[in-house]
């Protein structure tokens, strides 16, 4: 059956890539955008979507969403959050260290949803940090990068060989900068607060030493590196310096780190246990500004659906992470509002700039492009509660908070895949 022809009528169309921001209609046929503003010759809509008073934006691009486990639920959460393209890290169950596992994930996503799922393969077998995975085979199976998941291998020689191998087959390497020995037993930011609470600390030096090591090896090997979830002001400064020097390096930041900082731990709230940990107020401000200036390229959901058994436990025992994919849009909008950015700039880190890091055509509204679109109400407010979240993981530190900006309709590949009731 052929795809519907759809007119999205009279919305505020925002394309961050071109900075287009005007009231217009968007016309879709055969899964692609065929017109913006003026009706294409001979076009006849099978369906009209009234977007009066709404924003029509590119489908969001999320560089970090763990969707293994209940994949169907997580893909439903993705489209409810306006996400139409996502990268899945390798540290899921099963670990994405074999081509067949990556291919299976992509096929399953295609079968149940039009969302594009891009696997990130494991850099080492089983993420054990010793034997390298077959990066070229993972690339051929559809992996857009390789990663060690959380942190770096304990043995720097393994990292060196991995970057050499990745450079030889032109596979980007995505690394969370955390020096193994400084971070392996820590659970909170190294500060007076952690000392008062008696929490094992992870110093900022764990991030900066890791970044310095990776940057030196990347320069020596020619590998393309992307830093996952930079968390500190010093980390932002190092990334800026590397980019100014012309190194092929990019970075992202978790959306929750644009709003939370170490004081939000409160009295050992396990919902605020993250890896990397929430850092100081000054770090949060540096992350906000680094994302605005483009030093940090993308904001990510860091979506990690976790159950009560591993999250509603004492802080030191809680698994790090939280559900986030349904909150990516409002948290990004709130970041832009805090810095008084126009919507077309606020949306850049979750659309065009994120797609640029992936090296794919996505995150933009242009004639000829795949029709991945997020239609949202920028004025709608809603309170985050577990019953409304579609993810199998219902836990987030934003439970009970009122957020602004809510997805009304999501289209993927020209097909409506979500409509808010």
């Amino acid at each position: 059956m052929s795809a519907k022809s759809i007119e999205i009528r009279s919305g505020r169309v925002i394309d961050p890539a071109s900075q287009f921001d005007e009231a217009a209609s968007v016309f879709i046929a055969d899964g692609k955008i065929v017109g913006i503003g003026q009706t294409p010759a001979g076009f006849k809509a099978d369906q009209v979507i009234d977007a009066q008073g709404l924003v029509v934006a590119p489908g969001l691009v999320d560089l970090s969403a763990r969707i293994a486990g209940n994949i169907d639920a997580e893909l439903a959460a993705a489209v409810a959050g306006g996400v139409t393209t996502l990268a899945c890290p390798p540290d899921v169950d099963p670990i994405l260290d074999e081509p067949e596992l990556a291919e299976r994930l992509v096929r399953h996503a295609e079968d149940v949803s039009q969302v594009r799922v891009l696997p990130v393969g494991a850099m080492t077998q089983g993420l054990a940090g010793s034997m390298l995975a077959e990066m070229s085979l993972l690339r051929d199976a559809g992996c857009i990068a390789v990663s060690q998941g959380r942190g770096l291998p304990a043995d720097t020689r393994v990292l060196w060989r991995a970057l050499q191998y990745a450079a030889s087959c032109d596979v980007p390497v995505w690394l969370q900068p955390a020096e193994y020995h400084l971070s392996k037993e820590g659970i909170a930011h190294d500060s007076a607060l952690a000392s008062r609470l008696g929490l094992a600390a992870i110093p900022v030096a764990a991030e900066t030493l890791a970044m310095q090591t990776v940057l030196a090896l990347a320069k020596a090997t020619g590998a393309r590196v992307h830093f996952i979830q930079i968390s500190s002001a010093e980390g932002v400064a190092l990334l800026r310096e590397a980019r100014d020097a012309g190194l092929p390096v990019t970075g992202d930041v978790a959306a929750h780190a644009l709003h939370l900082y170490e004081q939000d731990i409160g009295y050992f709230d396990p919902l605020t246990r993250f890896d990397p940990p929430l850092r100081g107020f000054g770090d949060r401000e540096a992350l906000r500004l680094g994302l605005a200036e483009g030093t940090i390229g993308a904001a990510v959901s860091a979506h990690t659906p976790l159950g009560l058994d591993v999250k509603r436990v004492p802080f030191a025992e809680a698994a790090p992470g939280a559900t986030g994919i349904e909150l990516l849009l409002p948290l990004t909008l709130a970041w832009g509002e805090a810095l008084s950015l126009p919507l077309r700039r606020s949306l850049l880190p979750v659309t065009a700039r994120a797609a640029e890091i992936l090296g794919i055509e996505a995150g933009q509204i242009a004639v000829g492009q795949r029709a991945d679109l997020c239609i949202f109400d920028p004025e709608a407010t809603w309170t985050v509660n577990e019953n409304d979240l579609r993810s199998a993981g219902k836990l987030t530190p934003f439970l009970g908070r009122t957020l602004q900006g809510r997805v009304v309709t999501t289209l993927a590949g020209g097909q409506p895949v979500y409509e808010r009731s």
Side-chain angles (χ1 to χ4, degrees), residues 28 127 302 390:
I28 298 167
L127 296 177
R390 287 161 176 76

Side-chain angles (χ1 to χ4, degrees), residues 53 104 111 130 147 154 253 272 376 406:
R104 189 186 311 163
D111 288 342
S130 53
S147 173
V253 60
T272 61
F376 67 92
R406 196 163 198 188

Side-chain angles (χ1 to χ4, degrees), residues 12-18 20 33 55-61 81-85 329 343-344 347-348 350-352 355 362-366 369-376 407 409-411:
R12 178 185 172 187
V13 179
I14 297 179
D15 176 43
S18 65
F20 181 91
I33 297 170
V55 170
V56 181
L60 305 190
V61 180
V83 174
T84 56
T85 300
L329 175 65
L343 270 179
R344 61 183 181 273
L347 292 168
L348 261 176
V350 290
T351 56
Q364 55 184 303
I365 299 177
Q369 291 290 318
R370 175 180 151 113
D372 290 343
L373 299 168
C374 168
I375 305 173
F376 67 92
V407 176
T409 304
T410 303
L411 293 90

Side-chain angles (χ1 to χ4, degrees), residues 51-108:
Q52 184 75 39
L54 304 177
V55 170
V56 181
L60 305 190
V61 180
D62 187 357
L63 302 187
S64 180
R66 294 173 174 85
I67 62 166
N70 191 340
I71 298 177
D72 295 4
E74 304 319 315
L75 291 174
V79 295
V83 174
T84 56
T85 300
L86 63 86
C88 180
D91 52 344
V92 291
D93 186 16
I95 291 171
L96 301 178
D97 61 353
E98 296 182 6
E100 295 78 9
L101 297 174
E103 290 172 344
R104 189 186 311 163
L105 178 62
V106 172
R107 282 199 306 271
H108 186 94

Side-chain angles (χ1 to χ4, degrees), residues 22-381:
E22 295 180 16
S25 293
V26 177
F27 303 91
I28 298 167
D30 298 321
K32 294 189 175 183
I33 297 170
V34 295
I36 302 169
Q38 188 170 3
T39 308
F43 181 89
K44 183 177 181 181
D46 299 315
Q47 180 182 357
V48 174
I49 298 175
D50 182 8
Q52 184 75 39
L54 304 177
V55 170
V56 181
L60 305 190
V61 180
D62 187 357
L63 302 187
S64 180
R66 294 173 174 85
I67 62 166
N70 191 340
I71 298 177
D72 295 4
E74 304 319 315
L75 291 174
V79 295
V83 174
T84 56
T85 300
L86 63 86
C88 180
D91 52 344
V92 291
D93 186 16
I95 291 171
L96 301 178
D97 61 353
E98 296 182 6
E100 295 78 9
L101 297 174
E103 290 172 344
R104 189 186 311 163
L105 178 62
V106 172
R107 282 199 306 271
H108 186 94
E110 289 175 346
D111 288 342
V112 301
S113 171
Q114 292 295 309
V115 173
R116 286 190 286 184
V117 174
L118 307 173
V120 178
M123 189 175 78
T124 61
Q125 295 177 23
L127 296 177
S130 53
M131 300 292 293
L132 299 183
E134 292 289 352
M135 297 182 198
S136 60
L137 296 180
L138 289 168
R139 176 202 60 198
D140 294 344
C143 291
I144 46 88
V146 294
S147 173
Q148 189 58 16
R150 293 186 168 100
L152 302 181
D155 189 340
T156 305
R157 291 173 300 178
V158 173
L159 176 62
W160 178 44
R161 291 198 300 269
L163 291 175
Q164 288 178 315
Y165 184 6
S168 72
C169 53
D170 196 29
V171 175
V173 182
W174 291 16
L175 296 169
Q176 180 179 319
E179 197 279 330
Y180 179 81
H181 296 287
L182 286 177
S183 61
K184 66 176 181 176
E185 296 178 356
I187 57 176
H189 174 51
D190 185 19
S191 67
L193 176 65
S195 297
R196 286 199 303 272
L197 296 177
L199 298 174
I202 303 176
V204 167
E207 177 166 285
T208 55
L209 281 174
M211 290 182 71
Q212 289 166 342
T213 299
V214 171
L215 289 169
L217 294 178
K219 187 175 182 180
T221 61
R224 290 186 289 142
V225 170
H226 174 73
F227 286 118
I228 301 168
Q229 292 185 53
I230 291 172
S231 68
S232 69
E234 290 90 338
V236 176
L238 277 174
L239 180 60
R240 184 185 298 112
E241 182 181 329
R243 287 175 58 80
D244 288 346
L247 287 178
V249 58
T250 54
D252 65 49
V253 60
H256 62 255
L258 299 171
H259 301 284
L260 306 176
Y261 67 108
E262 61 172 342
Q263 295 292 336
D264 290 294
I265 289 174
Y267 191 68
F268 303 102
D269 180 2
L271 297 185
T272 61
R273 171 84 194 278
F274 289 102
D275 182 12
L278 299 176
R279 297 207 180 272
F281 180 82
D283 295 302
R284 189 194 73 175
E285 297 307 289
L287 293 171
R288 287 181 169 186
L289 294 174
L291 185 63
E293 72 185 15
T295 295
I296 300 173
V300 305
S301 73
H303 180 67
T304 307
L306 297 169
L308 293 170
D309 57 331
V310 295
K311 206 62 181 173
R312 292 288 191 186
V313 294
F315 188 91
E317 300 172 19
T323 190
I325 202 164
E326 294 168 79
L327 309 182
L328 181 58
L329 175 65
L331 291 181
T332 303
L333 296 178
W335 157 76
E337 180 71 20
L339 296 184
S340 301
L341 300 177
L343 270 179
R344 61 183 181 273
R345 285 193 58 200
S346 297
L347 292 168
L348 261 176
V350 290
T351 56
R353 287 209 318 231
E356 184 179 356
I357 291 170
L358 289 171
I360 63 171
E361 287 192 355
Q364 55 184 303
I365 299 177
V367 173
Q369 291 290 318
R370 175 180 151 113
D372 290 343
L373 299 168
C374 168
I375 305 173
F376 67 92
D377 184 345
E379 303 300 327
T381 58

